[in-house]
């Protein structure tokens, strides 16, 4: 399959304005993400509605595409970017990999796993999961959970801890069951991306504020692969400080 890697990036952020351009170890954060992605994918673009981000990416030799500002999500931005890139280059892509612009430590293992999901021709959408570590809080609503079928497809995503362990005290849940957290890396067949971008917002999505529930509600299947690589999203300035410390530890 021919993959297109897209990195949606917005300058505006309620908690961290200008986040993609924040300095991380002497480079803008978006450059860390781009270099990790481009090392794996020959076709890689940052998709943004902000000229500052586009200029920064092109300034370090990367590829970027301007998109409109009215998108509800990174998925919608990826759909527009796919159309623009195919129209301008004449290339056709079988699948799109959506790499979060605030994940500067995305690992090659994760990219290999998510693209490997498409070895099964039935895969429409793919994502990653990771087992919660013992020190992590499974009850944290900011860390979405997922439960899978026996053949590795997502049954449901939730901000609540799922499954509910009836008859087990809450402080023993994590010792009694392997809980899976969702890693926000997606890949879609191009034809599927165009279809899901047209879907209206779903009831479950509104309740949980999780976009992927819109796809499940509409009958799409999401294949999940389990990663063992640590992920660290940067949503706030404090997260950036943690990322700098993470880099220092990893370089020792």
């Amino acid at each position: 399959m021919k993959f297109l890697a897209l990195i949606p990036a917005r300058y505006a952020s309620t908690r961290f304005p200008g986040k993609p351009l924040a300095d991380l170890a002497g480079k803008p954060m978006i450059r860390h993400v781009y270099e990790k992605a481009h090392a794996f994918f020959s076709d890689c673009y940052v998709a943004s509605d902000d000229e500052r981000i586009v200029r920064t990416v092109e300034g370090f030799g990367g590829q970027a595409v301007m998109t409109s500002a009215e998108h509800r999500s990174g998925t919608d931005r990826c759909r527009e970017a796919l159309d623009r890139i195919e129209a301008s280059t004449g290339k056709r892509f079988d699948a799109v990999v959506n790499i979060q612009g605030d994940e500067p430590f995305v690992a090659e293992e994760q990219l290999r796993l998510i693209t490997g999901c498409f070895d099964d021709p039935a895969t429409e959408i793919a994502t990653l999961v990771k087992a919660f570590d013992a020190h992590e809080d499974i009850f944290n609503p900011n860390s979405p959970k997922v439960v899978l079928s026996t053949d590795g497809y997502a049954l449901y995503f939730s901000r609540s801890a799922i499954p509910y362990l009836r008859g087990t005290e809450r402080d023993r849940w994590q010792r009694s069951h392997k809980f899976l957290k969702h890693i926000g890396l997606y890949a879609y067949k191009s034809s599927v991306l165009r279809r899901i971008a047209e879907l209206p917002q779903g009831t479950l999505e509104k309740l949980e504020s999780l976009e992927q529930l819109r796809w499940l509600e509409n009958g799409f299947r999401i294949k999940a692969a389990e990663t063992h690589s640590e992920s660290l999203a940067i949503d706030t300035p404090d997260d950036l400080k943690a990322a700098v410390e993470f880099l220092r530890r990893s370089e020792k």
Side-chain angles (χ1 to χ4, degrees), residues 44 64-65 88 92 96 104 177 213 216:
C44 179
V65 57
S88 64
R92 291 295 177 265
V96 171
H177 180 74
L213 292 176
L216 291 183

Side-chain angles (χ1 to χ4, degrees), residues 133-175:
D133 293 332
H135 69 277
E136 294 179 301
D137 180 12
I138 63 171
F139 299 104
N140 178 0
N142 294 319
S143 184
K145 274 67 67 174
V146 59
V147 285
L148 305 179
S149 65
T150 55
D151 56 352
Y153 283 87
L155 295 172
Y156 192 69
F157 298 84
S158 182
R159 295 187 181 279
S160 300
I162 52 174
Y164 179 87
L165 303 192
R166 185 179 180 184
T168 303
E169 295 295 326
R170 280 167 62 99
D171 60 3
R172 294 180 52 209
W173 279 23
Q174 216 156 334
R175 299 194 301 271

Side-chain angles (χ1 to χ4, degrees), residues 8-22 24 29 33 100-105 140-144 159 182-184 231-244:
R10 296 179 65 247
Y11 190 89
S13 170
T14 303
R15 290 188 289 176
F16 195 172
K19 178 171 61 174
L21 303 185
L24 177 58
M29 183 168 63
V33 183
Q100 303 295 323
D102 58 4
E103 294 267 4
F105 306 113
N140 178 0
N142 294 319
S143 184
R159 295 187 181 279
H182 180 223
I183 305 298
S231 182
L232 182 61
I234 297 176
D235 294 316
T236 67
D238 285 340
D239 291 339
L240 183 63
K241 294 176 184 177
V244 171

Side-chain angles (χ1 to χ4, degrees), residues 106-128:
V106 61
E108 179 181 340
E109 181 238 18
Q110 295 175 321
L111 301 177
R112 179 170 44 80
L113 283 170
I114 201 163
T115 54
C117 289
F118 292 88
D119 292 343
D120 179 355
T123 299
E124 298 176 317
I125 304 170
T127 194
L128 297 181

Side-chain angles (χ1 to χ4, degrees), residues 38-147:
H38 191 47
F40 192 86
F41 298 101
S42 57
D43 293 288
C44 179
Y45 289 77
V46 171
S48 181
D49 60 358
D50 194 283
E51 291 183 358
R52 288 165 290 189
I53 294 173
V54 170
R55 286 198 303 267
T56 297
V57 173
E58 292 177 343
F60 63 69
Q63 297 186 102
V65 57
M66 281 290 294
T67 56
S68 58
E70 290 78 27
H71 294 299
R72 298 172 296 178
S73 67
T75 300
D76 295 343
R77 194 175 303 280
C78 281
R79 184 265 172 88
E80 181 188 354
L82 169 65
D83 290 343
R84 287 181 177 272
I85 292 165
E86 287 193 336
S88 64
T89 65
K91 295 181 180 180
R92 291 295 177 265
F93 298 95
D94 301 302
V96 171
V97 182
N98 177 352
I99 300 168
Q100 303 295 323
D102 58 4
E103 294 267 4
F105 306 113
V106 61
E108 179 181 340
E109 181 238 18
Q110 295 175 321
L111 301 177
R112 179 170 44 80
L113 283 170
I114 201 163
T115 54
C117 289
F118 292 88
D119 292 343
D120 179 355
T123 299
E124 298 176 317
I125 304 170
T127 194
L128 297 181
V129 300
K130 185 180 183 297
F132 276 89
D133 293 332
H135 69 277
E136 294 179 301
D137 180 12
I138 63 171
F139 299 104
N140 178 0
N142 294 319
S143 184
K145 274 67 67 174
V146 59
V147 285

